Amino acid sequence: MTIAVLALQGAFAEHEKVLDRLGVSHIELRQAGDLKKSFDALILPGGESTVQSKLLKELDMFEPLKKRIENGMPVLATCAGLILLASEIEGQDNCHFGTIPMCVRRNAYGRQLGSFHTEETVGSLGKVPMTFIRAPYVSDVYKDTKILASVEDRIVGVQYNNQLAFAFHPELDEDTRIHEKFLEIVRNSCN
């Protein structure tokens, strides 16, 4: 099993460190040629969703990745990655990949000073540490999108088919259960 980590901008190195701790093979996606390498799943890190989307398009990586996600490739998305997967973004006419039926609010907790840390339940994983940095949240979900986590009545974690998306940064905490849950989805999709 090999996980591809989008490494154009944002907190990709932190995700790679978690994968290293879990003993999981990974590659970085930095240019279109990297898409020819073999990989089973994708991590979309936190950072700036608009910048990531722009670079993906400029580097001719956007459409091939979108097709793979639509065809069931497992994805773990954090913060900006959640915005990339949303089918709707409040206050915008367009979206990016649009592969999870949900609406998100960008920078919902304010600027950098609005960053915070808490612990809440994530699905069957129990209480998980959550670090929010200029975080979005999910304002609405549609179709079969499952809510996995909420903080103060705001949705901060969802699952849609093989896609997991979180408004916080699990890669910044020592707890690896979210990445482990993702790897379980990847293993099941490979069988």
Side-chain angles (χ1 to χ4, degrees):
M1 169 173 54
T2 301
I3 309 298
V5 181
L6 184 65
L8 299 179
Q9 186 270 340
F12 59 88
E14 289 79 358
H15 281 287
E16 291 171 355
K17 287 176 186 165
V18 175
L19 294 173
D20 287 340
R21 282 181 29 221
L22 295 172
V24 177
S25 172
H26 55 85
I27 61 167
E28 290 184 347
L29 299 181
R30 292 182 172 271
Q31 57 191 355
D34 295 333
L35 298 177
K36 294 177 182 158
K37 297 175 184 173
S38 177
F39 60 93
D40 303 297
L42 174 65
I43 292 179
L44 297 173
E48 295 288 340
S49 59
T50 306
V51 172
Q52 290 179 12
S53 181
K54 183 175 182 265
L55 289 170
L56 282 164
K57 288 173 183 167
E58 286 174 1
L59 296 167
D60 295 322
M61 297 169 71
F62 186 88
E63 287 301 326
L65 283 175
K66 180 176 169 133
K67 283 190 180 96
R68 287 173 90 156
I69 296 167
E70 289 173 339
N71 289 331
M73 181 181 64
V75 182
L76 171 61
T78 60
C79 200
L82 172 137
I83 296 168
L84 288 175
L85 295 181
S87 61
E88 290 178 31
I89 302 167
E90 283 187 18
Q92 289 185 211
D93 293 333
N94 59 343
C95 65
H96 305 289
F97 287 125
T99 55
I100 296 183
M102 64 180 172
C103 183
V104 299
R105 176 176 288 184
R106 297 168 48 108
N107 296 327
Y109 295 99
R111 292 288 187 208
Q112 203 79 14
L113 293 174
S115 301
F116 66 98
H117 184 85
T118 189
E119 283 194 12
E120 287 295 340
T121 301
V122 175
S124 61
L125 301 179
K127 290 233 183 219
V128 170
M130 300 177 175
T131 299
F132 292 84
I133 302 171
R134 291 183 59 208
Y137 68 75
V138 179
S139 54
D140 208 352
V141 294
Y142 315 114
K143 296 186 183 173
D144 297 326
T145 303
K146 291 184 217 155
I147 298 170
L148 296 179
S150 296
V151 172
E152 296 174 1
D153 297 325
R154 292 177 170 171
I155 303 164
V156 297
V158 298
Q159 179 173 359
Y160 180 72
N161 298 329
N162 287 339
Q163 300 172 72
L164 290 175
F166 297 97
F168 55 94
H169 291 268
E171 74 281 7
L172 298 181
D173 290 300
E174 290 300 309
D175 192 304
T176 59
R177 287 177 291 165
I178 286 179
H179 286 79
E180 290 170 29
K181 178 177 175 57
F182 172 59
L183 296 172
E184 185 181 306
I185 291 169
V186 177
R187 279 187 209 95
N188 290 339
S189 76
C190 290
N191 293 336

